[in-house]
Structures are given as structure tokens and as C-alpha cells.
Amino acid sequence: MTTIDEPIETPDVETTDLTIERVEKPEFDLSPQEKRFVGWHITVAITALMIGSMMGPIQSFQFSGLDLYPYLEPVIKSYYQGLTLHGVLNALVYTTFFIVGFANLTTMKGLGRSLSHPVINKVGFWTMLTGLIMTGIPILTNSATVLYTFYPPLKASWAFYLGLTLVVVGSWIEGLGFYLTLAAWRKDHRGVRSPFIALGGIINMAMWQIATLGIAVEILTMLLPWSLGLIDNTDPELARTYFWFTGHPLVYFWLLPAYVSWYGMLPKQVGGKLFSDSLARLAFWLFLIVSVPVGFHHQFTDPGVPQTWKFIHAALTYSVFFPSMITLFTVVASLEFAARRQGGKGLVGWIRTLPWGDPSVAAQLLAGILFMFGGIGGLTNASYSLNLVIHNTAWVPGHFHLTVATAATLSFMGISYWMVPYLAGKQLWSPKMALVQVWTWFVGMIIFSNAMHVLGLLGAPRRTPLGSAPYVPEEWNGHLLRVSIGGGILLISVLIYGWVMLRTALGPKVEAHLVPTVPIAESIRHPQLTPVWLDRFKPWLIAAGLLLVVAYGPQFIDQIFNMNLNAPGTDFVPWPS
Amino acid sequence: MTTDDVSANSVANSERAADHEQTDEHEHFKPVGTMFILAMFVVALIMLWASVYLILLSRGVTT
Amino acid sequence: MSNGEDLNVAGAGPAGDGLDETALTMGIDPYERNWMRLTVALLVMFFTTVAIAGFAMGIQVTGAYQEVDPRTVLDTEPWATPGLRKIGDKEYEAYVVAQTWSFNPSEIEIPVGSTVTILVTSPDLQHGFKITDTNVNTMVVPGQVSKVTYTFDTVGDFPYICHEYCGTGHATMFGVVKVVPEGTLDEVSGDTGGDTDNEANSDEDDSQ
Ligand code: HEM
Ligand SMILES: [Cu+2]
Ligand SMILES: [Cu+2]
């Protein structure tokens, strides 16, 4: 009786009952303790972002010869140590804590009930935090300068690997808490469609649990024993295959919470409705299925993986583009619906009718605009031999600063503009400054990202302090300077963001009616009209499993059965001390 | 966007006899602006993608 | 519990149109349905174009070629003496070792129009190998040999750059392919590695 996929006896009768409330228990609100619990996730996340993001502009300044690393000397010994901090804190820590915190909120608020087993989520959170500390210490002491991909045989301290494992395991535990809560809700609501914002967040957690099996196996069977001295060598190619099993779905783990907000919250924020409940759900299920079996598109240039599998994964990666294109239509149409309802006119003139003065809305709209270009770059990267033009060049960071560092991060910033005041019982400090933050991010990122893309096409490698590389030709200089200018504008944006968040959190408590509420969008069509199969985990999980076996099974079997643990790495510490 | 607003909406929902209101609302709305934006997107997609494709072709054959 | 009736409706068939409450269709807007069709068409078009470049024109990515033991690879031929070997008229093999933090050889000189099969491996950490302005771009992974063949049709210097983080000297790790006009290169200097051509060739044959 507790499984999520409790069969529904007579779906046709029950599901067309349109008197079912569209917003589950609107009177339900998180208790102060629950708000504090979510708040802790967000606090850790934003702190990580503030520290991690500081390194970004410093890296970008290095590109045009402004070397600030001597001033960081007491802690940060090199560009690479800073880059490790930047990648781990931003892409792994900030995202994971924010996403899990946000999923706590959308689960509770969406379902209109508290977590069924809050203690599970507490254990999960503390596990994640313990892991973060364990990972942070070796990074800061320069004993894990291996970047956030930690490719062996670069060898980090064992604490780094164990810490990362704990962060992942903690997020699994919190995910379990969400499933149990959803199952409890479903037991009380036979025949009722799961509220979208809760379902979306939980599908994302399910996808993440499947996806992270890759690095879990990589760390537990290879890297951790190796760093502890139990085994002497690694199999670097197998490690790469494990890593990218997790590495690509990781990007969808970052993105889907932004999609939850774009589909399930933003329409409400702009005074409209979700254009299509069915397609919103379909998109999430498709992401669950196709996000994972595509990892070889990160290994197009790897020796040791046959071209056939690379080509198959290229095709599968193309299929991930499909739900994103659905998202593009549905979200833009929801916005247009809202604008027209409020008198918006013209083919594009309606865009001006949207509430651009609301920093939360502006952030998400601008994030969406830049994500279109992120999508174009992504399709290019995935296009098999086209990858030869850009693989491991500056194009790649140029690309993912539009996706994770803008589509996800700028959307999360937008979300935080209502969520942090909501959790703290405050008002947003200076919406004007928040707007400046949002627009500076947008402008800075356009300059930064465009320059990085161009540098990549010219052949500039990534993960490289280009300001001191001997092979840099004259013609790159203008673009390197643009990277620094973009980075400078982004630095201003980050600082404003931190300041607005701090002032908001420390601001005075205000009366309840001045505190923002959680925006939950209705769909134009009643969700009870959405087919039942768009509300079931089982068929989609089975499909995901089958596709994984087909798309990854043979190559994994080949690499695991022919495993060669023969790469010891260097007998000295290979990074600068 | 206050709590009152949310509960007002759901009261309206439960009072509604059938689904006609939203059906009408939906049928009167043609997302032409959306189609236009997406058309621009497709143009950008094809042009930018093709530009990298042409770079690829200009850089010789690797086997 | 899968429901055949529902799945029927899920297809993009005409049953999906409209808002019939009891049939539980997805209720997809006709415009959006067309958008989804266009998306599929676009993806098929792009993918066909990709397949043409990859398979008809032969612009290929690295594949699985050969495994070696990184601990001993440099003790045995051909990797004990990396460098360029001439294997035919304007045909060469270049054995390149990528190691912390240089390429050996760091210079490859060939006459314009030469076809070079480049084989790269690493005895220590992961590295990258990308020749600027060409489609030669591969990872270098300890335990694996990356193989790529390319014809250099333009005179000039083409730097090859390590594009995977490999520690302290990563940013200074590069080499140059010098493509020189025909006749400027005397045959002897075109061959920088290996004891004799024959020996290198026979090693190559064994490894296949
Ligand atoms: C404050 C604005 C930011 C600036 C100016 C910035 C700049 C940079 C630069 C210059 C690089 C190094 C490129 C290289 O050497 O390959 C980089 C790498 C990276 N950035 Fe950012 N960044 C910013 C924010 C972010 C955010 C918000 C995220 C994610 C949430 C992020 C994620 C990453 C990742 C994952 C890498 C790759 C690290 C690696 O290659 O190991 N960045 N960034
Ligand atoms: Cu990917
Ligand atoms: Cu390197």
C-alpha cells in the first residue's frame, strides 16, 4: 500500500472530477522549523556560490594578464587550485544544496503537507554537510587540486573522494524522504494527479539517483581504495566512462529545478497559467529516461570507446533535445498567454507587458533567453564529429556558463528573490538592486560567454591560465580581454547578489501580508484531464532501466571485464604547491 | 500574490460547475507570438550550428 | 499498470486533439503539436548532416585502437623512440608521447601534402592533443593509444596543445607541426625517430 504506483481502479470516473482543488491545501504552510530546515540548505548553497564565484572573475582576469593569484597565496596556491574550488563549490555544492532545499519546499508546498519522515531528510542534510566539510578541507589545503572531474591518475586526498560520496549519499537520503512523502500523499488522494511542482522535483531526484550510480561506483571501487593505498593503480578510461555516466545527467539535475519554476511557478508570477500540464509532465518523464544514456557524447574524443557507441549516444543525446524544445514552446506560450490576458499586443510587443520590474521574473526571463543559446551550443557539442572543433576548448566553459551558470544559476537567483524572504519572513531588500544584479549578470555573461566561444573556435584550450600560456597568438588577445571584461561585470553582479541576500536575511521581520508567498501556477486545462500514465513512476523507471541496459550495458561489460588497473600516475604531487 | 489570492482562486475553482471557462480561454488564445519567437530561434539554431559545421568541413578530414 | 487506451491517445494522432474530458487526451495545442513535429524534422535533418560528415566524408572521431601498459610502454618500441617515421611517399607515422609536461617530439616537420598517422599515449596522467586549425583533437589517456590520420595541405606552423589539465606545467605543454613547402625538407631530417624505418614498421604491424 505504500508504493508510489498504487493502481488506480477506475481512472476515468475519478480523474475527470474537476471539483478537485487545483492547488493542494492552499492554507497549508511550512512551519517555522520547516522553513528553517529549507533555509539551511539555501544558506549553505549561497555561501558556496559566493566563495566559488569569487574565483571565476579572478580566472577571467588572468586571461588578459591581470594576475591576482599572488594575493591569494596564503590559501590558493595556483590557478588550478582556484579552478578546483570554483568547479566543486559552484557546480557540485551550490547546485546540490540549492536543488535539494528547493525540492524540500516544492514537495511540501506542492503536496500541501509536511514531510512524512522529517528525520530522514535531517539525516540526509547532515550527511551532505559532513561531506561538504570533508571535501572542502583537502581542496583548501591544496591536497585535492584535481578539478571537479577528478580524472585519475590525478590523485586527491582520500577525504576529497569520501566527502563527495557523502554529499551524494546525503542527497539520496533526502530523495528517499521525498518519495515516502509522495507515497503518503497518494495514499490519501487516490485518483488525483500529483501536483506538478512536487512531482517535477521528485522526478529530478529519481533521475539523480540513477545517474550518480556512476561516480558512486567509480569512487568506491577505484578511487577511494587507491587514495587509501589499498590498490596501486587505476584504469583511467574506465574511470572516465563511470564519471560521464553521471556527468551528463548532472547537467539535467541542475536544469530541471529551473524547469520546475519555469513551468510551475513563473506563469503565476507573471499573472498567467501553465500552457500545458500534460506536456510539462511528459518533458520531465522524458528527461528521466534520456538524460542518462548519453554520456559518451563527453567522450567523443576518447581512445578506448568504439565509434559505434559514440554515434549511438550522439543520437540519444539528440533525443534529449526534444523535451527541451517542448519546454521552450510551453514556457514561452505560458508567458504570452499571461501577457495577452493583461492586454499585451503585437507579435512581440506583448513581451513588454510582462512584469520586468519584478527581479524574480526578470532573472528567469533573462536566464531563459541565454539558455536558448546554451541549447544551440549544446546541440553543436553533441553532434559527433562537430565535437572535434570544440572539444576541451574554451568554447566548452563558454557553453556551460550559459547553461549551469546562467539558465540554472540565474533562475535560482530569481527563485531566491522570493524564496529567501518567504523563508525568513522578511521583505526583499531593495528590489532595484536585485534588478541591477540580474541585468549585470545577463550583460556580463553575454560578453564573457561570447568571447569564450570564439576563443574555443580559434583553438584556445580550456582549464588553462591563458594569460601565461606560451602559444597564445596575437589574434586571441582581444577576445581574452573581453573574457576579463565580462568577468568584471559578473564580479559586480555576484557582489550585489550576496549583499542583497545578506541584507534581506538580516533585515527586520515584517507583517505576514508583506512576506511573499510561494507562487504556484495553475494550468489552463485541469490536471485531472491529464492522462494517468503521465503520473506514474513505474513505466518510466522501467523504460529508463531498459534504455540504460541497451545503451550502456555492452560497453560497460567490455570495459569492466577487460579492466586494466595499471595507471599509477606520478610519484610526485603534480600540481603547484 | 498573497495568500488571500491563492485561496480566492481555489474557491473559484471549486465553485465552477464545469470546465468551460478554461476551455474557452484556451481556445481563444493562439500562441502566434510564441511561434514567431520560436521561428527566430530556429533560424539562429540553423545558422550558428551550420557555421560550426562549415568550420569542421574547412579543417580537413580525420580518420 | 500500463493502459493501452491511454497510450493510444498519447500518440500524435488526431485523437490527441481537442479537450474531450472522458478520453483523457493530452490536450496538446495544435500549434504546439506542429512545433513538436518541426523539432523532430530538425533533429533528423541535423543528424543526417552529421552522419554525412562522419561517414560519407570520413571526418571521424577517435575510436578504440590499442591498449598498452603505461608503466612499461616507454621501455618498448615504438614508444621507446617516439618521433616521425616515413612509411611511404608523403606518408608518415608520428609516435608522440604526452607526459608531464611536454610532448616528445615537440616538433614534427613534414612537407606540404603529407598524410600523417599520429599515435599518442601517456605514461603518467591524462593529457589532451589538439592541433590548431585542424580537426585533429583527441584525449590522451594512460593505458590507451589514440590514433588519428590527417593530411596537411597548407604550409605553416600548427601548434599542438595539451587541452586536458595535467598539473603544474599544463599551460606550457605544446608542440608544433611544421608544414614546409615541397623540396625544402631533406629526406633525412624528415625522419626524427626510430632506429630504422623497417623496425618501426614491423612494430606497427604487430600491434594491429
Ligand atoms: C561569477 C561569474 C563567473 C565567472 C567570471 C566565471 C569564470 C570562469 C572561468 C574563467 C573559468 C575557467 C575556464 C578554464 O580555465 O577552463 C570557469 C570555469 C568553470 N565555471 Fe565559472 N565563472 C563564473 C560563475 C560560475 C557559476 C555560477 C558556475 C556554476 C554554477 C560556474 C561553473 C564553472 C565550472 C563547472 C567551470 C569548469 C571548471 C573546470 O574546468 O574544472 N561558474 N569559470
Ligand atoms: Cu553532456
Ligand atoms: Cu595538460
Side-chain angles (χ1 to χ4, degrees), chain A residues 510-544:
Chain A
V510 295
E511 283 178 55
H513 71 277
L514 294 174
V515 176
T517 54
V518 179
I520 302 177
E522 283 185 3
S523 49
I524 291 178
R525 196 165 169 259
H526 199 293
Q528 286 308 115
L529 296 172
T530 296
V532 185
W533 56 271
L534 285 173
D535 203 18
R536 293 288 176 75
F537 273 83
K538 208 179 276 166
W540 300 102
L541 285 175
I542 292 171

Coordinates of all heavy atoms in Angstrom, one line a residue, chain A residues 510-544:
Chain A
V510 N 8.8 41.4 9.0 CA 7.7 42.3 8.6 C 6.4 41.5 8.8 O 6.4 40.3 9.0 CB 7.9 42.7 7.1 CG1 9.1 43.6 6.9 CG2 7.9 41.5 6.1
E511 N 5.3 42.3 8.7 CA 4.0 41.7 8.9 C 3.7 40.6 7.8 O 4.2 40.7 6.7 CB 2.9 42.7 8.8 CG 2.8 43.6 10.0 CD 1.7 44.7 9.8 OE1 0.6 44.3 9.4 OE2 2.1 45.9 9.9
A512 N 3.0 39.6 8.2 CA 2.8 38.4 7.3 C 2.3 38.8 5.9 O 2.8 38.2 4.9 CB 1.8 37.5 8.0
H513 N 1.5 39.8 5.8 CA 0.9 40.0 4.4 C 2.0 40.7 3.5 O 1.8 40.8 2.3 CB -0.3 40.8 4.5 CG -0.1 42.3 4.9 ND1 0.0 42.7 6.2 CD2 0.0 43.4 4.1 CE1 0.2 44.0 6.2 NE2 0.2 44.4 5.0
L514 N 3.1 41.1 4.1 CA 4.1 41.7 3.2 C 5.2 40.7 2.8 O 6.0 41.0 1.9 CB 4.8 42.8 4.0 CG 4.0 44.1 4.3 CD1 4.7 45.0 5.2 CD2 3.5 44.8 3.1
V515 N 5.1 39.5 3.4 CA 6.1 38.5 3.0 C 5.6 37.8 1.8 O 4.4 37.4 1.7 CB 6.2 37.5 4.2 CG1 7.1 36.3 3.8 CG2 6.7 38.2 5.4
P516 N 6.4 37.5 0.8 CA 6.0 36.8 -0.4 C 5.5 35.4 -0.1 O 6.0 34.8 0.8 CB 7.2 36.8 -1.3 CG 8.3 37.4 -0.6 CD 7.9 37.9 0.8
T517 N 4.6 34.9 -0.9 CA 4.1 33.6 -0.8 C 4.8 32.7 -1.9 O 5.4 33.3 -2.8 CB 2.6 33.4 -0.9 OG1 2.2 34.0 -2.1 CG2 1.9 34.1 0.3
V518 N 4.6 31.4 -1.8 CA 5.2 30.5 -2.8 C 4.3 30.6 -4.0 O 3.1 30.3 -3.9 CB 5.2 29.1 -2.3 CG1 5.8 28.2 -3.4 CG2 6.1 29.0 -1.0
P519 N 4.8 31.0 -5.2 CA 3.9 31.1 -6.4 C 3.7 29.7 -7.0 O 4.7 29.0 -7.3 CB 4.7 32.0 -7.3 CG 6.2 31.8 -6.9 CD 6.2 31.5 -5.5
I520 N 2.5 29.3 -7.1 CA 2.2 28.0 -7.7 C 1.2 28.3 -8.8 O 0.1 28.8 -8.6 CB 1.6 27.0 -6.6 CG1 2.5 26.9 -5.5 CG2 1.3 25.7 -7.3 CD1 2.0 26.0 -4.4
A521 N 1.6 27.9 -10.0 CA 0.8 28.2 -11.2 C -0.3 27.1 -11.4 O 0.0 25.9 -11.2 CB 1.7 28.3 -12.4
E522 N -1.4 27.5 -11.8 CA -2.4 26.6 -12.3 C -2.2 26.3 -13.7 O -1.5 27.2 -14.4 CB -3.8 27.2 -12.2 CG -4.4 27.3 -10.8 CD -5.8 27.8 -10.9 OE1 -6.3 28.1 -12.0 OE2 -6.4 28.0 -9.8
S523 N -2.7 25.2 -14.2 CA -2.6 25.0 -15.7 C -3.9 25.5 -16.3 O -4.9 25.5 -15.7 CB -2.3 23.5 -16.0 OG -3.2 22.7 -15.3
I524 N -3.8 25.8 -17.6 CA -5.0 26.2 -18.3 C -6.1 25.1 -18.3 O -7.2 25.3 -18.0 CB -4.7 26.6 -19.8 CG1 -3.9 27.9 -19.8 CG2 -6.0 26.8 -20.6 CD1 -3.4 28.3 -21.2
R525 N -5.6 23.9 -18.5 CA -6.5 22.7 -18.5 C -6.4 22.1 -17.1 O -5.3 22.0 -16.6 CB -6.0 21.8 -19.6 CG -7.0 20.7 -20.0 CD -6.4 20.2 -21.4 NE -7.0 19.0 -21.8 CZ -6.5 17.8 -21.7 NH1 -5.4 17.6 -21.0 NH2 -7.1 16.7 -22.1
H526 N -7.5 21.6 -16.6 CA -7.4 21.0 -15.3 C -6.5 19.7 -15.3 O -6.6 18.9 -16.2 CB -8.8 20.6 -14.9 CG -9.0 20.3 -13.4 ND1 -8.3 19.3 -12.8 CD2 -9.6 21.0 -12.4 CE1 -8.6 19.3 -11.5 NE2 -9.4 20.4 -11.3
P527 N -5.6 19.6 -14.3 CA -4.7 18.5 -14.4 C -5.4 17.1 -14.3 O -4.8 16.1 -14.7 CB -3.8 18.7 -13.1 CG -4.3 19.9 -12.4 CD -5.3 20.6 -13.3
Q528 N -6.6 17.1 -13.8 CA -7.3 15.8 -13.8 C -7.6 15.3 -15.2 O -7.9 14.1 -15.4 CB -8.6 15.9 -13.0 CG -8.4 16.0 -11.5 CD -7.5 14.9 -11.0 OE1 -6.5 15.1 -10.5 NE2 -8.0 13.7 -11.1
L529 N -7.5 16.2 -16.2 CA -7.7 15.8 -17.6 C -6.4 15.2 -18.2 O -6.4 14.7 -19.3 CB -8.1 17.0 -18.4 CG -9.5 17.5 -18.0 CD1 -9.8 18.8 -18.7 CD2 -10.6 16.5 -18.3
T530 N -5.3 15.3 -17.5 CA -4.0 14.7 -17.9 C -4.1 13.2 -17.8 O -4.5 12.7 -16.7 CB -2.9 15.3 -17.1 OG1 -2.8 16.7 -17.4 CG2 -1.6 14.7 -17.5
P531 N -3.7 12.5 -18.8 CA -3.7 11.0 -18.7 C -3.0 10.5 -17.5 O -1.9 11.0 -17.1 CB -3.1 10.5 -20.0 CG -3.2 11.7 -21.0 CD -3.2 12.9 -20.1
V532 N -3.5 9.3 -17.0 CA -2.9 8.7 -15.8 C -1.4 8.3 -16.0 O -0.6 8.4 -15.1 CB -3.7 7.5 -15.4 CG1 -3.2 6.9 -14.1 CG2 -5.1 7.8 -15.3
W533 N -1.1 7.9 -17.3 CA 0.3 7.4 -17.5 C 1.3 8.5 -17.3 O 2.5 8.3 -17.3 CB 0.4 6.7 -18.8 CG -0.1 7.5 -20.0 CD1 -1.3 7.5 -20.5 CD2 0.8 8.3 -20.8 NE1 -1.3 8.4 -21.6 CE2 -0.1 8.8 -21.8 CE3 2.1 8.6 -20.8 CZ2 0.4 9.7 -22.8 CZ3 2.6 9.5 -21.8 CH2 1.8 10.0 -22.8
L534 N 0.9 9.7 -17.3 CA 1.8 10.8 -17.1 C 1.9 11.1 -15.6 O 2.5 12.1 -15.2 CB 1.3 12.1 -17.8 CG 1.6 12.0 -19.3 CD1 0.9 13.2 -20.0 CD2 3.1 12.0 -19.6
D535 N 1.4 10.2 -14.7 CA 1.5 10.4 -13.3 C 2.1 9.2 -12.6 O 1.9 9.0 -11.4 CB 0.1 10.8 -12.7 CG 0.3 11.5 -11.4 OD1 1.3 12.1 -11.1 OD2 -0.7 11.6 -10.7
R536 N 2.7 8.3 -13.4 CA 3.2 7.0 -12.9 C 4.7 6.9 -12.9 O 5.2 7.2 -14.0 CB 2.6 5.9 -13.7 CG 1.1 5.7 -13.6 CD 0.8 5.1 -12.3 NE -0.7 5.0 -12.1 CZ -1.4 4.1 -12.7 NH1 -0.9 3.2 -13.4 NH2 -2.7 4.1 -12.5
F537 N 5.3 6.4 -11.9 CA 6.7 6.2 -11.9 C 7.1 5.0 -12.6 O 8.1 4.9 -13.4 CB 7.3 6.2 -10.5 CG 7.6 7.6 -10.0 CD1 6.7 8.4 -9.4 CD2 8.9 8.1 -10.1 CE1 7.0 9.7 -9.0 CE2 9.2 9.4 -9.6 CZ 8.2 10.1 -9.1
K538 N 6.3 3.9 -12.4 CA 6.8 2.6 -12.8 C 7.1 2.4 -14.3 O 8.2 2.0 -14.6 CB 5.8 1.5 -12.4 CG 6.4 0.2 -12.1 CD 5.4 -0.9 -11.7 CE 5.1 -0.8 -10.2 NZ 3.9 -1.6 -9.8
P539 N 6.2 2.8 -15.2 CA 6.5 2.6 -16.6 C 7.8 3.4 -17.0 O 8.6 2.9 -17.8 CB 5.3 3.1 -17.3 CG 4.5 3.8 -16.4 CD 4.8 3.3 -15.0
W540 N 7.9 4.5 -16.5 CA 9.1 5.4 -16.9 C 10.4 4.9 -16.3 O 11.4 4.9 -17.0 CB 8.8 6.8 -16.5 CG 7.6 7.4 -17.1 CD1 6.3 7.5 -16.5 CD2 7.4 7.8 -18.5 NE1 5.4 8.0 -17.4 CE2 6.1 8.2 -18.6 CE3 8.2 7.8 -19.6 CZ2 5.5 8.7 -19.8 CZ3 7.7 8.3 -20.8 CH2 6.4 8.7 -20.9
L541 N 10.3 4.4 -15.1 CA 11.5 3.8 -14.5 C 12.0 2.6 -15.2 O 13.2 2.4 -15.5 CB 11.3 3.5 -13.0 CG 11.3 4.7 -12.1 CD1 10.9 4.3 -10.6 CD2 12.6 5.5 -12.1
I542 N 11.0 1.8 -15.6 CA 11.3 0.5 -16.4 C 11.9 0.9 -17.7 O 13.0 0.4 -18.1 CB 10.1 -0.3 -16.6 CG1 9.6 -0.9 -15.2 CG2 10.3 -1.5 -17.6 CD1 8.3 -1.6 -15.3
A543 N 11.3 1.9 -18.4 CA 11.9 2.4 -19.6 C 13.3 2.9 -19.5 O 14.2 2.6 -20.3 CB 11.0 3.4 -20.2
A544 N 13.5 3.7 -18.4 CA 14.8 4.2 -18.2 C 15.8 3.1 -18.0 O 16.9 3.1 -18.5 CB 14.8 5.1 -16.9

